Amino acid sequence: MTQRISKYQRFKMMNPVLQFFKFMYLSIKIMIVVAGKHGGTRTENKL
């Protein structure tokens, strides 16, 4: 059985302006995590 979404949820999903700002927020958040060296792709030289 499918669950219907409300008109407000549909409005949020279909609004390109809101989606753009959500994309920018998540991109900045990811860049902050990666710039803080928590990405896990770099290894430090441990002596």
Side-chain angles (χ1 to χ4, degrees):
M1 186 169 179
T2 60
Q3 183 179 4
R4 299 195 68 166
I5 60 172
S6 68
K7 289 187 177 186
Y8 181 68
Q9 287 177 330
R10 181 176 167 82
F11 169 75
K12 285 194 313 186
M13 287 192 309
M14 299 299 284
N15 191 342
V17 176
L18 287 176
Q19 294 299 319
F20 174 73
F21 283 113
K22 188 183 291 184
F23 170 75
M24 292 303 292
Y25 171 73
L26 291 175
S27 297
I28 290 171
K29 195 172 179 180
I30 289 171
M31 282 193 282
I32 289 172
V33 169
V34 172
K37 297 181 182 177
H38 292 285
T41 57
R42 293 186 177 188
T43 58
E44 295 181 14
N45 292 332
K46 295 181 179 179
L47 297 175

